[in-house]
Structure formats: structure tokens, C-alpha cells
Amino acid sequence: MSKALIVYGSTTGNTESVSDDIARILEGKGYAVEVRNAADVHVEGMAEGIDAVFLGCSTWGDEDVELQDDFIPVLDELDKAGLGGKNVAVFGCGDSSYEHFCGAVDVIEQKVEELGAVLLGDSLKIDGDPDTGEITTWTDAVTTRI
Ligand SMILES: Cc1cc2nc3c(=O)[nH]c(=O)nc-3n(C[C@H](O)[C@H](O)[C@H](O)COP(=O)(O)O)c2cc1C
């Protein structure tokens, strides 16, 4: 059975609910899924034995891009996660009325590329309330690349 790990940072629960949706969809496809809040995850070696890592984070700040608080230490330690050569997908919630719409997603995407991970297509940037249809379409597309 393929294994997926979802690590999310979420302040008001939107990215958390997207994580739960992705987990449900992956489980429906036969994956064994572990969902971890960024506030609790042990980053070192977290990708070991995992076939696909999903990283989700909302964006805060105003003029500058700020990652959701709990995800900041995860990003700082991401080089210890063992992402080299791993399948990674990135997603997050934001609001397009801000200058840097889902800027955290771009920051994470850039970092995982630097670490030699294999990005599973375009990242998912959710504007406003999460939409299950959009999440399903994206997750379906991502899994065809694993
Ligand atoms: C003070 C504040 C700053 C925000 N800054 C941004 C931003 O720079 N870019 C963006 O796309 N969304 C921004 N947002 C919107 C949040 O990312 C959005 O509400 C998101 O759904 C929160 O997700 P979460 O509940 O998973 O934390 C901001 C929201 C607030 C309240």
C-alpha cells in the first residue's frame, strides 16, 4: 500500500479542512494516509518510507509574505526531512485580495525544489472558502503523477 503524509499549518481551520479532504480522497484511492499538524510534526526524517508528501500552509502578513505560524519552524527544518527525490505536492489557502495571493505556497514550492524533490504538478492555491470539487480535481491530477 502506498503511503502519503500530509503536513499542514492552519490558523482558522481552512487549510486543515483541505488536508482532511485530501486525506479522504487519497484513502479512497487506497493510500495509507497520515495527517500531521505542523505544530506537532517531527520534521527530521519525516519523509522516510513515504511515497508522497503533501505540504499545506496558509499565507499571512500584508506587504511581506508570512507563512502560517506553525509552519515556519517546519520550513526552517525542511532540509532534514529527507525530501530529496521524493514526490511532493504543495497546497494552501489564501485570499486573492492580498498582494501576495497564497505566497506561502510559492515559498514552500521553491524550497522543496531546492531540496531536490519531485513536484507533482502545479500547486493548489485556494481563494477563500475551500471547495471540495476543486480539491478533488487537484488531488486526482496529483495522484496520476505518483
Ligand atoms: C491579517 C491577515 C493577513 C493575510 N494575508 C494574506 C496574504 O498575504 N495572502 C493571502 O493569499 N491570504 C492572506 N490572508 C488570508 C488567509 O490566508 C486566509 O484567510 C486563509 O483561508 C487562512 O487559512 P487557515 O485557516 O488555514 O489559516 C490573510 C488573512 C489575514 C486575516
Side-chain angles (χ1 to χ4, degrees), residues 14-141:
N14 286 334
T15 309
E16 180 176 14
S17 85
V18 176
S19 302
D20 291 342
D21 276 358
I22 294 171
R24 185 180 41 75
I25 296 161
L26 291 173
E27 281 164 1
K29 293 176 183 290
Y31 284 80
V33 186
E34 201 181 320
V35 183
R36 286 269 176 275
N37 189 321
D40 307 324
V41 74
H42 182 71
V43 179
E44 194 171 338
M46 73 179 186
E48 215 172 283
I50 302 290
D51 300 292
V53 178
F54 290 72
L55 300 174
C57 181
S58 55
T59 302
W60 296 82
D62 202 346
E63 285 166 18
D64 295 325
V65 173
E66 286 177 24
L67 273 64
Q68 191 276 340
D69 282 348
D70 301 318
F71 208 93
I72 294 169
V74 173
L75 188 82
D76 288 346
E77 291 209 313
L78 211 54
D79 56 332
K80 299 177 189 155
L83 292 181
K86 286 279 172 187
N87 293 315
V88 177
V90 185
F91 64 97
C93 295
D95 180 334
S96 60
S97 65
Y98 286 88
E99 188 182 342
H100 303 287
F101 171 54
C102 284
V105 169
D106 297 329
V107 170
I108 296 166
E109 203 183 271
Q110 192 183 336
K111 182 77 175 183
V112 300
E113 278 187 314
E114 280 169 21
L115 295 174
V118 179
L119 271 175
L120 297 169
D122 292 338
S123 301
L124 175 63
K125 295 180 173 182
I126 293 179
D127 191 6
D129 291 336
D131 171 74
T132 304
E134 186 183 12
I135 297 164
T136 305
T137 302
W138 179 79
T139 308
D140 285 348

